């Protein structure tokens, strides 16, 4: 019999430990990614400047590029600025916006990207997607996943706790996203990739049940590893399906309808996951998600992120429009605004009971 296998697209190296940032030059050389030291480093105008002062002496062959924001225009400008630089690789150093811009720019110029995360707010550090602001609001662009991931736990501890908590919300939402994917398989016949589901759901379950707090090294390590697994799961699936269901549709709707008021991505998808689980009738899971989100200071009701019941109802009703063709519990139930309002009122009552 022939032996059947498949190649799993994944980073060549993943470094998650204290002190990893100071060893960046050595890591790149050891991995044969940049023995010459000719790299382009994309940073933010804020915290990136501080990190540049710290890293520049150890990266003498690097050119540094400031990225204004997480917009498509900024990503295109970054790519144009790097053309002709004869670099071995691009390093995206910062939070999700910088890494997403760097991923897109790396794809345009055909260079490998190393993602060096300074916070763990969402799973973009390893995903094959760049989420960038554009003239129509916000778009998701398919790109190659990073060839390497570096997470310095000492740096992560200095990030605002809200950003770390948001990452937990993003990972936990995998559980709801996978349930939506499996629902679609039953109702529409959509194929499900079992390996992608296993990785994404395991990452979510680990954070759902982890007893640590935001300062525990073990929790930070588990979160960083979970974000990497989520990204690999999306690479395996060839889409965001294992990490994006009704939870993300609701978050995208909040971004579209209330762009000046939306909260952290991980905060919104965590709330979306809790409500979507409630809509699927998974009361025990809903309780577990709500308890874990609240434990880390994440919102469990719309009011906690500044939205009224009517506004949240509008967002949930609009949510399927954000991902045409994607089937989740929202498309399955096809609730009217009044039915959504009643369901949300029941959810809030259950949360507060």
């Amino acid at each position: 019999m022939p032996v059947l296998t498949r190649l799993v697209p994944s980073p060549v190296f993943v470094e998650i430990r204290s002190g990893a940032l100071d060893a960046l030059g050595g890591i790149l050389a050891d991995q044969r990614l940049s023995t010459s030291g000719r790299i382009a480093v994309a940073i933010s105008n804020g915290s990136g400047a501080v990190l540049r002062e710290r890293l520049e002496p150890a990266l003498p062959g690097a050119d540094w590029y400031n990225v204004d924001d997480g917009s498509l225009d900024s990503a295109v400008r970054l790519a144009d600025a790097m053309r002709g630089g004869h670099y071995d690789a691009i390093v995206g150093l910062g939070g999700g916006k910088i890494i997403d811009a760097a991923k897109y720019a790396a794809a345009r110029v055909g260079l490998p990207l190393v993602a060096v995360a300074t916070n763990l707010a969402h799973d973009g550090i390893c995903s094959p997607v760049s989420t960038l602001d554009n003239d129509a609001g916000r778009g998701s662009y398919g790109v190659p996943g990073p060839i390497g991931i570096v997470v310095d736990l000492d740096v992560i501890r200095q990030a605002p706790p809200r950003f770390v908590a948001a990452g937990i919300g993003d990972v936990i939402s995998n559980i709801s996203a996978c349930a939506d994917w499996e629902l679609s398989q039953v109702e529409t016949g959509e194929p499900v990739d079992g390996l992608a589901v296993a990785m994404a759901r395991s990452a979510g379950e680990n954070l759902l049940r982890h007893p640590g707090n935001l300062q525990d090294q073990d929790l930070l390590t588990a979160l960083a590893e979970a974000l990497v697994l989520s990204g690999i799961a999306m690479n395996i699936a060839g889409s965001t399906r294992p990490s994006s269901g009704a939870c993300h549709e609701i978050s995208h709707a909040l971004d579209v309808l209330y762009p000046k008021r939306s909260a952290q991505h991980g905060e919104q998808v965590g709330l979306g996951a809790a409500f979507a689980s409630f809509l699927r009738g998974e009361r025990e899971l809903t309780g577990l998600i709500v308890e874990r989100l609240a434990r880390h200071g994440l919102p469990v009701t719309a009011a906690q992120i500044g939205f009224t019941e009517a506004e949240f109802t509008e967002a949930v009703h609009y949510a399927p429009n954000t991902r045409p063709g994607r089937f989740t519990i929202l498309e399955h139930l096809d609730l009217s605004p009044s039915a959504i309002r009643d369901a949300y009122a029941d959810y809030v009552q259950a949360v507060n009971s």
Side-chain angles (χ1 to χ4, degrees):
M1 288 181 62
V3 177
L4 301 179
T5 62
R6 67 171 173 175
L7 298 176
V8 176
S10 60
V12 173
F13 64 92
V14 176
E15 292 275 348
I16 301 172
R17 58 183 172 86
S18 295
L21 191 61
D22 292 324
L24 180 59
I27 291 171
L28 297 176
D30 289 345
Q31 296 296 332
R32 303 294 190 269
L33 188 59
S34 180
T35 54
S36 72
R38 285 293 299 158
I39 60 174
V41 186
I43 59 173
S44 69
N45 291 316
S47 60
V50 177
L51 292 173
R52 177 176 180 174
E53 289 182 11
R54 174 177 167 183
L55 289 175
E56 201 163 19
L59 300 172
D63 289 334
W64 299 76
Y65 296 89
N66 289 326
V67 179
D68 294 332
D69 52 37
S71 68
L72 179 60
D73 287 344
S74 289
V76 171
R77 285 195 297 269
L78 174 61
D80 291 343
M82 292 187 300
R83 292 187 190 280
H86 303 292
Y87 300 115
D88 299 322
I90 298 170
V91 173
L93 173 62
K97 291 182 179 180
I98 300 303
I99 290 176
D100 276 354
K103 283 193 293 186
Y104 186 89
R108 282 180 69 99
V109 299
L111 285 173
L113 173 85
V114 177
V116 183
T118 57
N119 68 56
L120 299 176
H122 64 76
D123 58 18
I125 63 172
C126 190
S127 73
V129 175
S130 285
T131 301
L132 300 168
D133 295 330
N134 56 36
D135 292 339
R138 182 166 294 170
S140 296
Y141 304 88
V143 295
I147 196 171
I149 309 290
V150 177
V151 178
D152 189 327
L153 298 178
D154 293 334
V155 174
I156 299 302
R157 284 194 194 88
Q158 297 171 18
R162 183 183 179 189
F163 290 159
V164 179
I168 294 173
D170 202 8
V171 172
I172 287 176
S173 77
N174 288 0
I175 301 169
S176 178
C178 288
D180 278 333
W181 198 5
E182 291 170 336
L183 173 66
S184 181
Q185 182 181 45
V186 172
E187 297 295 330
T188 73
E190 179 184 357
V192 167
D193 189 308
L195 179 58
V197 167
M199 296 184 75
R201 184 151 53 204
S202 295
E205 290 282 354
N206 188 18
L207 269 296
L208 181 65
R209 303 173 192 281
H210 198 290
N213 61 46
L214 297 180
Q215 292 301 313
D216 289 347
Q217 172 137 334
D218 186 55
L219 176 65
L220 296 179
T221 301
L223 174 56
E225 291 174 346
L227 294 172
V228 171
L229 288 176
S230 294
I232 295 174
M234 287 185 269
N235 268 306
I236 291 170
S239 74
T240 60
R241 202 52 161 120
S243 297
S244 175
C247 48
H248 280 61
E249 289 182 335
I250 292 170
S251 177
H252 294 317
L254 291 169
D255 291 339
V256 170
L257 296 175
Y258 315 106
K260 302 299 183 182
R261 296 169 52 200
S262 53
Q264 288 283 323
H265 172 79
E267 295 173 335
Q268 294 181 169
V269 299
L271 169 60
F275 184 57
S277 298
F278 185 83
L279 291 178
R280 284 191 298 271
E282 299 169 329
R283 297 297 188 263
E284 182 178 356
L285 175 60
T286 301
L288 287 172
I289 292 175
V290 166
E291 185 279 329
R292 191 54 46 171
L293 295 178
R295 174 187 175 90
H296 295 300
L298 289 160
V300 296
T301 66
Q304 291 174 350
I305 49 175
F307 294 105
T308 66
E309 179 185 273
E311 290 170 334
F312 188 72
T313 296
E314 182 183 11
V316 174
H317 189 250
Y318 180 82
N321 296 305
T322 67
R323 287 292 182 270
R326 181 156 293 186
F327 189 89
T328 75
I329 189 61
L330 299 181
E331 288 79 6
H332 178 59
L333 295 178
D334 192 23
L335 298 174
S336 66
S338 61
I340 293 170
R341 185 176 60 250
D342 292 344
Y344 179 67
D346 291 341
Y347 165 79
V348 173
Q349 184 177 13
V351 167
N352 292 329
S353 62

